[in-house]
């Protein structure tokens, strides 16, 4: 990459006033560094990933409202986690956490476990207990 | 507490950056590309059975921590690494180091890093930063991918030090305990290059240039095998792994090309300058691939042809890299 072709596209980096460093060659073919504000292909890849993520979140919400899954599934997706990561944060086996995704099992969970989930998701306990349309 | 003058230099990749900044602090002036080259930072591995963000894992770098460890070994630097069973102990050790004026590298998760843009916050646990001081309950942070230094509260730092999931850092802290004043840089550069050529030309299917070719062939089959929606998602993941998290594709090739230029001078071997140029061209090819792949993602292209074309681009890159690393091996 030539120094003058280092991309300066708009990206999410600007939301935090960030720029990333790149290595590129100058007119004499020597390497040095310069800053980039972002690159469109990367922004697109991030956008596609975020869209997929939002779809997963919406889908999870639907399943919870329909009573097919417990709110844990929604907050897991919202926190960009999968079963392994959630199990790891909970300090429990994956199959146990997966069981908590069943509404029937979830209803019987004791307050300590619910509180731990709330801490992991960084939410209030009642957001888990009283999940509704506006959640 | 001992107040230290820690020079923050921004870098392209976090692990090289921490290594370079910490070694500079300890009196060894070593650039990011040199750390990367001596630590054999270029790598490629495809792990189909491991899913990251619901897509197969592709890594453009060796295991977290290895670049610094390898570079340290080659340069005769002793590094102490500590992991902790709880936060209490982890912070006691960090505070002890800061009291002694030892800037310390930490492995952290990025999901809870408050200074990162939201879109960058995923459960990726192999980020690296340096803590170089403390003011009250706040820690002074030199995160090498940031332009300037940052500040984290103890609570914020505890969250990222004890992030969970794959590669959970467990409070992992590392710092040099002895840095020699004289190092045999020629020998270190030679060993670093040898290791890279060996890894990239490894005679196994999922690693190095073979791995790139393997994934290249897979890409062509994705639309039929997993459906267009998933194929798009996988492709987005490839671009992110390649250009974002650790800047593995084009980014790494440019750092390596910069390293080869430095190596040409250090070893007095001008042929490395030509190879540096070739490496730059391959880096441009990786970026070209990312550009095309992002278009396929954005337009949600439905025909197999687009994937066929991307597949060919990757296979072509694999062939070019095979030639480059073979030439590199011969040039020593």
């Amino acid at each position: 990459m030539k120094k003058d072709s280092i991309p300066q596209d708009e990206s999410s980096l600007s939301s935090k006033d960030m720029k990333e460093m790149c290595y590129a060659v100058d007119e004499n073919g020597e390497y040095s560094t310069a800053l980039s504000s972002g690159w469109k292909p990367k922004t697109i890849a991030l956008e596609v990933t975020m869209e997929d993520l939002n779809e997963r979140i919406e889908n999870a919400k639907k399943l919870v409202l329909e009573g097919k899954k417990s709110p844990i599934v929604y907050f897991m997706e919202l926190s960009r986690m999968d079963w392994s990561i959630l199990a790891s944060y909970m300090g429990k086996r994956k199959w146990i956490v997966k069981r908590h995704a069943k509404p029937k099992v979830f209803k019987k969970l004791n307050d300590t476990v619910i509180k731990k989930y709330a801490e992991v998701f960084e939410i209030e306990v009642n957001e888990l207990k009283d999940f509704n349309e506006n959640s | 507490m001992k107040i230290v003058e820690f020079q923050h230099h921004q870098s392209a990749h976090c692990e090289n950056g921490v290594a370079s900044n910490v070694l500079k602090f300890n009196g060894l002036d070593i650039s990011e590309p040199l750390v990367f080259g001596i630590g054999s930072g270029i790598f490629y591995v495809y792990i189909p059975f491991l899913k990251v963000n619901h897509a197969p894992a592709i890594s453009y770098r060796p295991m977290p921590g290895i670049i610094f460890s390898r570079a340290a070994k080659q340069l005769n630097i002793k590094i102490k690494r500590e992991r902790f069973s709880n936060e209490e102990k982890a912070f006691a050790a960090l505070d002890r180091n800061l009291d002694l004026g030892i800037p310390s590298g930490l492995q952290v998760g990025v999901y809870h890093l408050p200074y990162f843009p939201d879109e960058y916050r995923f459960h990726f646990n192999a980020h690296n930063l340096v803590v170089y001081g403390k003011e009250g309950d706040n820690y002074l942070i030199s995160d090498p991918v940031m332009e300037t230094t940052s500040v984290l509260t103890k609570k914020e730092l505890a969250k990222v030090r004890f992030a969970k999931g794959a590669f959970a850092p467990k409070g992992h802290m590392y710092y040099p305990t002895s840095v020699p004043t004289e190092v045999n840089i020629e020998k270190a550069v030679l060993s670093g290059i040898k290791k890279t050529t060996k890894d990239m030309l490894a005679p196994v299917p999922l690693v190095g240039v073979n791995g790139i070719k393997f994934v290249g062939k897979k890409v062509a089959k994705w639309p039929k095998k997993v459906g267009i929606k998933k194929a798009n998602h996988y492709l987005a993941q490839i671009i992110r792994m390649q250009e974002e998290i650790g800047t593995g594709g084009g980014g790494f090739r440019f750092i390596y090309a910069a390293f080869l230029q430095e190596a040409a001078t250090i070893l007095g071997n001008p042929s490395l300058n030509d190879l540096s140029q070739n490496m730059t061209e391959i880096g441009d090819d990786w970026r070209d691939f990312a550009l095309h792949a992002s278009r396929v993602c954005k337009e949600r292209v439905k025909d197999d042809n687009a994937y066929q074309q991307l597949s060919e681009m990757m296979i072509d890159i694999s062939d070019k890299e095979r030639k480059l690393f073979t030439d590199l091996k011969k040039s020593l």
Side-chain angles (χ1 to χ4, degrees):
Chain A
M1 186 165 57
K2 297 226 162 50
K3 226 170 178 174
D4 51 20
S5 54
I6 287 178
Q8 304 295 349
D9 300 339
E10 172 123 7
S11 78
S12 59
L13 290 175
S14 59
S15 70
K16 293 277 183 180
D17 215 10
M18 255 174 100
K19 278 188 178 168
E20 61 181 337
M21 184 171 257
C22 303
Y23 283 79
V25 285
D26 62 19
E27 58 277 9
N28 303 319
E30 298 281 334
Y31 261 96
S32 58
T33 60
L35 294 175
S36 161
S37 61
W39 190 37
K40 204 166 167 223
K42 293 188 356 179
T43 303
I44 291 173
L46 266 186
E47 279 168 5
V48 169
T49 306
M50 296 310 272
E51 278 168 30
D52 286 341
L53 200 72
N54 288 334
E55 213 170 287
R56 296 184 73 92
I57 295 168
E58 282 309 308
N59 190 39
K61 187 173 186 175
K62 201 173 129 246
L63 290 172
V64 178
L65 290 173
E66 285 169 359
K68 286 177 183 153
K69 294 279 175 195
S70 82
I72 285 170
V73 179
Y74 170 77
F75 287 107
M76 175 179 84
E77 294 293 352
L78 195 65
S79 311
R80 302 176 186 174
M81 293 178 174
D82 59 21
W83 293 112
S84 307
I85 297 169
L86 179 57
S88 174
Y89 269 97
M90 287 299 293
K92 291 188 185 304
R93 302 256 177 192
K94 204 156 89 176
W95 67 268
I96 295 180
V97 178
K98 273 190 174 174
R99 259 189 93 235
H100 296 169
K102 294 183 181 169
K104 265 189 190 159
V105 179
F106 177 74
K107 271 189 200 119
K108 286 182 198 150
L109 288 179
N110 67 41
D111 284 353
T112 329
V113 178
I114 297 277
K115 198 167 159 250
K116 176 88 181 160
Y117 272 113
E119 272 169 28
V120 166
F121 296 136
E122 299 182 299
I123 55 172
E124 300 298 325
V125 169
N126 63 355
E127 291 180 71
L128 270 172
K129 283 189 166 172
D130 316 317
F131 190 86
N132 59 54
E133 196 70 42
N134 303 320
S135 289
Chain B
M1 196 192 76
K2 210 169 144 190
I3 307 286
V4 296
E5 278 287 317
F6 188 81
Q7 294 287 331
H8 171 85
H9 303 273
Q10 191 179 5
S11 67
H13 177 62
C14 66
E15 193 177 330
N16 311 325
V18 164
S20 168
N21 283 339
V22 165
L23 293 178
K24 275 180 180 152
F25 174 83
N26 283 281
L28 188 63
D29 192 7
I30 186 162
S31 68
E32 177 184 6
L34 267 184
V35 171
F36 185 67
I38 293 172
S40 308
I42 286 228
F43 191 57
Y44 190 93
V45 61
Y46 173 60
I47 317 169
F49 48 85
L50 180 71
K51 294 277 193 284
V52 177
N53 295 323
H54 316 284
I58 296 173
S59 179
Y60 290 79
R61 51 179 278 184
M63 291 281 283
I66 289 215
I67 301 178
F68 193 10
S69 290
R70 278 184 192 149
K73 200 174 162 210
Q74 296 299 343
L75 295 165
N76 234 342
I77 297 159
K78 292 207 171 55
I79 299 180
K80 187 157 166 70
R81 293 182 180 274
E82 296 180 69
R83 287 185 170 80
F84 305 91
S85 53
N86 66 53
E87 290 181 14
E88 237 46 43
K89 285 181 189 162
F91 276 92
L94 176 60
D95 289 347
R96 173 205 69 205
N97 269 10
L98 295 176
D99 278 341
L100 295 168
I102 304 171
S104 303
L106 295 181
Q107 182 193 336
V108 298
V110 298
Y111 183 75
H112 289 104
L113 269 185
Y115 51 74
F116 267 25
D118 183 56
E119 289 86 342
Y120 282 66
R121 291 178 50 239
F122 279 87
H123 295 276
F124 173 71
N125 286 333
H127 188 56
N128 293 275
L129 50 78
V130 178
V131 181
Y132 65 94
K134 196 179 174 185
E135 276 175 11
D137 234 6
N138 290 338
Y139 288 87
L140 308 178
I141 308 290
S142 159
D143 186 324
V145 303
M146 306 293 290
E147 271 182 271
T148 55
T149 54
S150 325
V151 174
L152 289 177
T153 64
K154 186 176 177 183
K155 205 179 153 197
E156 287 167 336
L157 190 58
K159 270 224 155 117
V160 295
R161 290 187 78 186
F162 283 88
K164 301 280 164 46
F167 300 122
K170 299 192 173 78
H172 184 190
M173 175 171 95
Y174 54 94
Y175 50 95
T177 50
S178 99
V179 180
T181 40
E182 292 265 323
V183 293
N184 189 340
I185 198 96
E186 293 91 351
K187 190 173 148 271
V189 166
L190 270 176
S191 311
I193 296 178
K194 274 184 193 153
K195 171 86 182 140
T196 296
T197 56
K198 195 172 157 231
D199 286 352
M200 287 306 283
L201 299 170
V204 284
L206 303 179
V207 174
V209 298
N210 285 341
I212 300 171
K213 186 168 256 173
F214 191 92
V215 174
K217 285 180 183 163
K218 284 264 168 206
V219 168
K221 293 179 193 151
W222 277 350
K224 281 217 168 64
K225 205 174 163 212
V226 298
I228 210 78
K229 199 174 150 52
K230 251 193 176 168
N232 255 311
H233 174 69
Y234 284 6
L235 212 50
Q237 179 89 340
I238 284 200
I239 306 170
R240 288 183 52 228
M241 285 294 189
Q242 188 182 311
E243 301 296 332
E244 207 106 53
I245 308 168
T247 59
F252 269 18
R253 267 67 195 169
F254 300 136
I255 307 177
Y256 204 76
F259 161 70
L260 289 177
Q261 254 181 14
E262 281 195 56
T265 315
I266 291 168
L267 299 175
N269 181 350
S271 66
L272 294 180
N273 275 324
D274 301 332
L275 290 167
S276 167
Q277 244 181 53
N278 298 349
M279 190 52 121
T280 305
E281 283 160 23
I282 293 174
D284 289 333
D285 287 345
W286 275 110
R287 286 176 70 84
D288 215 27
F289 169 82
L291 182 72
H292 277 80
S294 73
R295 283 191 191 135
V296 174
C297 274
K298 190 181 169 72
E299 288 155 24
R300 307 209 176 254
V301 179
K302 289 207 170 46
D303 70 303
D304 294 358
N305 264 341
Y307 280 83
Q308 186 60 42
Q309 204 189 345
L310 289 173
S311 160
E312 281 161 20
M313 285 178 98
M314 262 186 126
I315 293 169
D316 178 54
I317 289 175
S318 157
D319 290 340
K320 282 182 181 161
E321 291 208 348
R322 179 182 302 282
K323 180 166 187 315
L324 183 128
F325 288 114
T326 310
D327 290 348
L328 184 58
K329 201 173 160 185
K330 281 188 209 146
S331 77
L332 299 177

